[in-house]
Amino acid sequence: MNAADTAWIITATALVLFMTLPGLALFYGGLVRARNVLSVFMHVYAIACLMSVLWFVVGYSIAFGGGDSGIWGGLDKLLLLGVTADSLTGTLPEVLFFAFQMTFAIITPALIVGSYVERIGFGFVLLFSALWMLLCYAPVVHWIWGGGFLSDGGIFGETGVRDFAGGIVVHETAGIAALILAVFLGKRRNHTTPPHNPGLVMIGAAMLWVGWFGFNGGSQLAADGGAAMALTVTHISAATASLTWALWERLKFGKSSLVGIVTGTIAGLASITPASGFVGPVEALVIGAVAGILCQEAVNLIRNKVVIDDTLDVFAVHGVGGIFGTIMIAVFGAGTWVAQLGSLAIVGVYTTVVTIVLIVVVRAITPLRVDAETETNGLDLAVHGERAYDITS
């Protein structure tokens, strides 16, 4: 065990959890109507709790167990059996590696929340998220990070796919699942209401930005120059994408919005995520500059051309950003074109199939969408019996 590595990953684990609680909750919560903000908080918080338990029970074993099939890790680490305080993964206590990866298993299904807010059944959220994490996310983790068939020595030969912190594992899977759920749900009855609190959106985005240092820097799994570089390029990409998003918005609409510039931040963060361990500051500048415009145009395409109500633009920002960053690894020569594109295609098809099957199965058990009256009155009071704001008190 290396004490410096351990101390850094303990910190990084806390930072990644901070991304979801409270960062993502505030970012998403500020973007919806006031009558639905608590339901967003509830979705994110409940998912964080449920994924933690499921990752401990079986998810970690599926992703990082000792199975050598290349498809899944098996069940040898069910309930962390055999893992003690002295067990090591590299230079880290294995229980810390488990905890760090758990925070990724929390935020990935939580990202999907943004596609279905304001109209989805709470029971569906919990059951779908649980099954999706175990049957989609955890196997993909094994394929890429757990020594599976897409990693080095797998189907792409000696050099497998390069995905440093989750461009495919986190952002592509969550983005595709979000888009499919949005299609199955259909439009909100009132989808023209602006964000009820842009200030909350900015605060949440700022928390995500800070937490992302643990997300990307921690993925080095060591306290060294690689972690420092990953942190640095993450910041450069986020800052650059924020500026290009705001500039592009100004050129198109005459104004740069607060919600716009912070959405650009998230686009830059998602785009640099897969490449953060393989590129330098100049490449990060390029990735961020393109991401701010690319993801904004993806938002316009999905909202206005394809006309899918992916409410908070999960696919356009996270999905497109993660896919773009994964491709840029090959553009800059840090990975092979065959492995990068092939892995994107394989994981994309698998995620699509699993997500569709799970939606069909779960909606046969519990309603997918709330009734019209509940949607009109807001999920906060109708589903959870609470209001976010009471101006008379």
Side-chain angles (χ1 to χ4, degrees):
M1 187 189 78
N2 181 283
D5 294 347
T6 300
W8 164 231
I9 302 305
I10 288 173
T11 304
T13 300
L15 285 170
V16 181
L17 182 60
F18 182 72
M19 291 174 68
T20 306
L21 304 172
L24 188 68
L26 290 170
F27 180 71
Y28 280 172
L31 287 166
V32 299
R33 293 189 296 167
R35 65 191 66 183
N36 290 313
V37 61
L38 291 186
S39 72
V40 174
F41 291 170
M42 186 67 170
H43 291 165
V44 173
Y45 204 95
I47 285 172
C49 297
L50 184 57
M51 296 312 109
S52 299
V53 174
L54 292 175
W55 187 252
F56 160 65
V57 173
V58 67
Y60 177 69
S61 189
I62 293 172
F64 294 105
D68 57 2
S69 68
I71 303 298
W72 75 314
L75 299 176
D76 62 308
K77 293 186 177 178
L78 194 75
L79 295 167
L80 288 183
L81 294 176
V83 178
T84 69
D86 297 322
S87 303
L88 294 181
T89 296
T91 62
L92 303 173
E94 185 174 4
V95 70
L96 175 58
F97 179 74
F98 155 83
F100 180 66
Q101 291 296 335
M102 178 178 65
T103 60
F104 283 66
I106 288 169
I107 198 170
T108 305
L111 289 174
I112 304 173
V113 168
S115 70
Y116 55 62
V117 293
E118 301 195 304
R119 63 201 188 279
I120 200 165
F122 184 55
F124 183 93
V125 169
L126 295 182
L127 185 54
F128 172 82
S129 297
L131 294 174
W132 187 88
M133 191 277 281
L134 294 176
L135 299 177
C136 184
Y137 174 78
V140 171
V141 171
H142 183 74
W143 298 351
I144 295 176
W145 291 341
F149 73 96
L150 298 181
S151 59
D152 292 352
I155 63 172
F156 297 118
E158 183 178 347
T159 302
V161 66
R162 296 288 180 260
D163 183 5
F164 189 70
I168 299 175
V169 174
V170 175
H171 295 290
E172 185 193 18
T173 58
I176 290 173
L179 193 65
I180 293 169
L181 263 170
V183 171
F184 271 85
L185 274 166
K187 286 184 180 180
R188 289 164 290 162
R189 295 181 180 277
N190 186 345
H191 60 276
T192 58
T193 305
H196 91 279
N197 193 331
L200 285 186
V201 180
M202 189 283 292
I203 293 169
M207 291 175 173
L208 283 165
W209 191 340
V210 172
W212 225 291
F213 291 158
F215 197 84
N216 289 356
S219 292
Q220 179 72 3
L221 299 177
D224 60 13
M229 181 59 78
L231 185 152
T232 300
V233 299
T234 296
H235 188 77
I236 291 171
S237 179
T240 308
S242 303
L243 295 173
T244 57
W245 185 296
L247 176 61
W248 195 244
E249 202 175 41
R250 176 65 179 268
L251 292 174
K252 290 172 63 179
F253 307 114
K255 295 180 181 179
S256 298
S257 67
L258 176 64
V259 169
I261 194 170
V262 302
T263 305
T265 303
I266 306 305
L269 291 166
S271 298
I272 196 61
T273 289
S276 55
F278 311 114
V279 301
V282 174
E283 291 88 349
L285 191 76
V286 173
I287 289 172
V290 175
I293 298 172
L294 175 66
C295 292
Q296 187 176 156
E297 287 305 306
V299 169
N300 178 58
L301 175 67
I302 292 166
R303 280 188 188 177
N304 303 319
K305 303 295 178 23
V306 184
V307 194
I308 296 174
D309 190 13
D310 178 359
T311 313
L312 308 183
D313 307 308
V314 181
F315 179 77
V317 176
H318 293 277
V320 171
I323 291 168
F324 166 65
T326 301
I327 293 171
M328 292 302 288
I329 294 171
V331 171
F332 291 127
T336 69
W337 282 99
V338 171
Q340 298 307 110
L341 295 179
S343 296
L344 283 168
I346 291 169
V347 172
V349 170
Y350 178 76
T351 302
T352 300
V353 172
V354 171
T355 301
I356 291 173
V357 170
L358 287 179
I359 291 172
V360 172
V361 170
V362 175
R363 74 176 180 183
I365 299 171
T366 184
L368 169 61
R369 186 164 179 161
V370 298
D371 59 65
E373 182 179 1
T374 297
E375 184 176 345
T376 299
N377 293 334
L379 275 62
D380 288 1
L381 194 59
V383 178
H384 304 294
E386 299 170 300
R387 294 183 189 274
Y389 309 102
D390 185 353
I391 61 175
T392 62
S393 63

